Amino acid sequence: MSLITDLLRPEMAFLRYALLVGALSSVALGIVGTMVVTRRISSLAGAASHAALGGIGAALFLQQLALPGLSPMVGAVVGAVSAALVVGTVNLCAREREDTIINVVWALWMSIGLLFLNWTRGYVDWQGYLFGNILLLTRTEVYMMIGLDVLILAPTLLFYNNILSMSFDWTFAELRGVRVKLIYFTLLVLTALAIVLLINVVGIILVIALLTLPAATAGCFTRHLWSMMVLATVLSCLFVVAGLLGSYWFNLPSGPAIVVLASMVYLFGLGFNAWRKRC
Amino acid sequence: MASPSQTIVELSHVSFGYESGVPALEDVTFRIERGRSGCIVGPNGGGKSTLMRLLLGLLTPQQGEIRVFGRAPVAARPLIGYMPQYHQLDAAFPVTVFEVVLMGRMRRGFWGRYTAADREAARGALREMGIPELAPRRFSELSGGQRQRVLIARALACEPELLLLDEPTANIDPGAEEQFYGTLDVLRRRMTVLTVSHDLGFVNREIDLVICVNRRVTVHEAAAFSAETANEVYHHQVNLIKHDHACFCNCEHRRSEPLTPEEMEAGK
């Protein structure tokens, strides 16, 4: 009961926004996470999330130098999307040394960001980007999250069957005339956008865990791609909300609380699956 | 759909090499007429998969020309049903058998919606493969033989005139293999079936052509492809009993030797 009265107090707006953005982000997490897990591009998502820091660093530097209105978010989008496109192209074209190139992009973009941050005068709270600042969210982030959900839901609902066949059997889909590359790169851009917004919730370090754990857990219990997306969305919502409330009650950092909870449920899911197969 | 010619597949002086520089296929010339079925055999790394990918338009030859149904391979794709090896697919992917077979109904300009006719065609393909009861099962739960049948059903759902099967008997148990040969005999009456196999057991079956691929390609009439012919072609004792792997060694061995008359004939 004390939680509800706490939530209703005017000075608790930060917690209301955190819960709202967390719940809204679960749609993006569930759908994009399912695609990342089934297409096995979690290393690409990792590169994109770390590359966001490169863009943030560059944006903060330019902000001070010439463009005072430039938001770090714009830099994050440019960094993440460019990294996703580079890695995605490498994924398609180069069969060799794919993992090396992913790691190079990952480290290079991030290092560039840290260099720019070093050149930026004054104090920069870059730890906020690494670990998230969910308790500093405002109405703007709520609207951006709603926008992202729509941006991800619309193509998924419209082109579900094309996405399914592209993810399951790329060659066959291409032979049947599906525009696999267009769908693939659209998914990459959406993944990068989702990652940038989710960095607000848990930060660069933990965003991949939050993206993949609910989807991987859902994969243990579902037989369709769509039901995996739905279950992953529900699980994401539960993890984020429960993790936030837990961190509030027990005075813990929210990002790690969410990820520890999600990991425990995932391990349970794996165990359940192994047990079911033996019976 | 009337095809412009009776020639299903025609290759003239086709060469293809990967970036490494070593040609995978050299000066390949052959044709397959309507109503004839063939088995593409040869050693691993000899160019079987390359030949298949060329026929599907997934690779473009550096030299020569390929026509499938008288068109460029990419334009002929709607008429081709393709079955990949099932272990190339993600074993953990959440998808049901029915959803997999429905994928055969996709076509150019497809906007992501299947019609009632598409569903009926998919059910028909499952019935034809004798596995309608598998429709609601998760693809990853099936045995190797069952997955192979599902992937053939998906290829049949395309309503193809040319069926390309990649190593259909690899990694399946002997019972399923026997059943598969039976299915193939039925399908051959309706469409051109090209099977890629490293397994010469196919040669014993009722097929018309044996297409030997080892950088160069020679085509033999199956009826004439007796042990004696094989010996003549390969200069070695070849035993045409099922699962005979001696042929591959011979194929490898032959690389350094001059062309045989058959090769010259088929290659020129």
Side-chain angles (χ1 to χ4, degrees), chain A:
Chain A
M1 276 305 110
S2 71
L3 172 73
I4 298 198
T5 46
D6 275 3
L7 271 176
L8 290 174
R9 292 199 335 246
E11 68 272 25
M12 296 301 280
F14 72 91
L15 191 58
R16 289 199 292 275
Y17 282 130
L19 286 173
L20 191 55
V21 171
L24 283 172
S25 70
S26 59
V27 177
L29 282 170
I31 294 175
V32 172
T34 297
M35 297 191 191
V36 166
V37 167
T38 52
R39 276 289 313 165
R40 297 177 186 236
I41 51 172
S42 56
S43 59
L44 180 145
S49 72
H50 288 73
L53 189 68
I56 290 169
L60 287 173
F61 179 73
L62 287 174
Q63 200 179 34
Q64 228 172 45
L65 199 71
L67 301 162
L70 188 66
S71 157
M73 285 294 278
V74 175
V77 167
V78 172
V81 170
S82 63
L85 293 181
V86 169
V87 174
T89 311
V90 170
N91 253 333
L92 284 192
C93 302
R95 304 245 174 262
E96 292 166 69
R97 302 198 189 282
E98 188 184 307
D99 53 337
T100 314
I101 295 171
I102 289 175
N103 284 315
V104 168
V105 171
W106 181 314
L108 179 64
W109 261 244
M110 193 163 177
S111 306
I112 290 172
L114 291 172
L115 284 177
F116 274 118
L117 287 177
N118 177 56
W119 292 326
T120 308
R121 288 185 302 276
Y123 175 72
V124 177
D125 175 29
W126 56 272
Q127 287 214 3
Y129 297 112
L130 288 187
F131 300 106
N133 43 7
I134 191 163
L135 300 182
L136 299 178
L137 299 177
T138 61
R139 202 175 279 266
T140 318
E141 275 82 24
V142 176
Y143 291 140
M144 287 175 81
M145 200 51 90
I146 293 173
L148 178 71
D149 284 345
V150 172
L151 207 60
I152 289 171
L153 262 179
T156 308
L157 290 175
L158 277 175
F159 300 110
Y160 173 77
N161 285 320
N162 307 49
I163 294 170
L164 172 68
S165 60
M166 183 276 287
S167 309
F168 176 66
D169 189 345
W170 176 284
T171 306
F172 189 84
E174 189 181 356
L175 292 176
R176 297 316 299 166
V178 174
R179 303 188 64 184
V180 280
K181 283 183 184 163
L182 180 70
I183 295 176
Y184 179 64
F185 281 106
T186 309
L187 288 186
L188 292 190
V189 171
L190 289 178
T191 306
L193 287 179
I195 284 170
V196 170
L197 283 190
L198 295 167
I199 284 174
N200 281 324
V201 183
V202 284
I204 286 168
I205 308 276
L206 296 180
V207 69
I208 298 312
L210 198 54
L211 204 53
T212 50
L213 284 170
T217 311
C220 298
F221 303 100
T222 47
R223 63 169 64 197
H224 303 279
L225 191 67
W226 61 264
S227 55
M228 183 169 166
M229 288 172 175
V230 172
L231 184 57
T233 301
V234 172
L235 287 173
S236 304
C237 192
L238 285 176
F239 294 156
V240 173
V241 170
L244 274 174
L245 293 179
S247 75
Y248 174 72
W249 270 321
F250 302 111
N251 197 22
L252 301 168
S254 54
I258 294 169
V259 171
V260 166
L261 177 66
S263 305
M264 276 160 40
V265 176
Y266 173 58
L267 291 177
F268 168 78
L270 277 186
F272 175 79
N273 234 9
W275 170 80
R276 191 175 52 177
K277 270 180 191 151
R278 272 180 46 185
C279 296

Side-chain angles (χ1 to χ4, degrees), chain B residues 43-108:
Chain B
N44 288 327
K48 298 192 299 291
S49 306
T50 306
L51 180 60
M52 173 110 93
R53 295 180 76 78
L54 284 166
L55 291 177
L56 289 166
L58 293 168
L59 298 172
T60 315
Q62 274 106 14
Q63 281 165 38
E65 197 192 22
I66 303 174
R67 308 298 279 178
V68 182
F69 295 104
R71 318 172 191 179
V74 173
R77 281 174 183 175
L79 298 173
I80 305 175
Y82 168 63
M83 187 209 75
Q85 299 181 38
Y86 72 83
H87 58 79
Q88 292 167 351
L89 303 173
D90 180 2
F93 199 92
V95 65
T96 63
V97 166
F98 192 63
E99 287 170 327
V100 170
V101 177
L102 263 180
M103 288 176 196
R105 301 300 300 170
M106 292 185 301
R107 57 215 156 252
R108 204 169 292 273

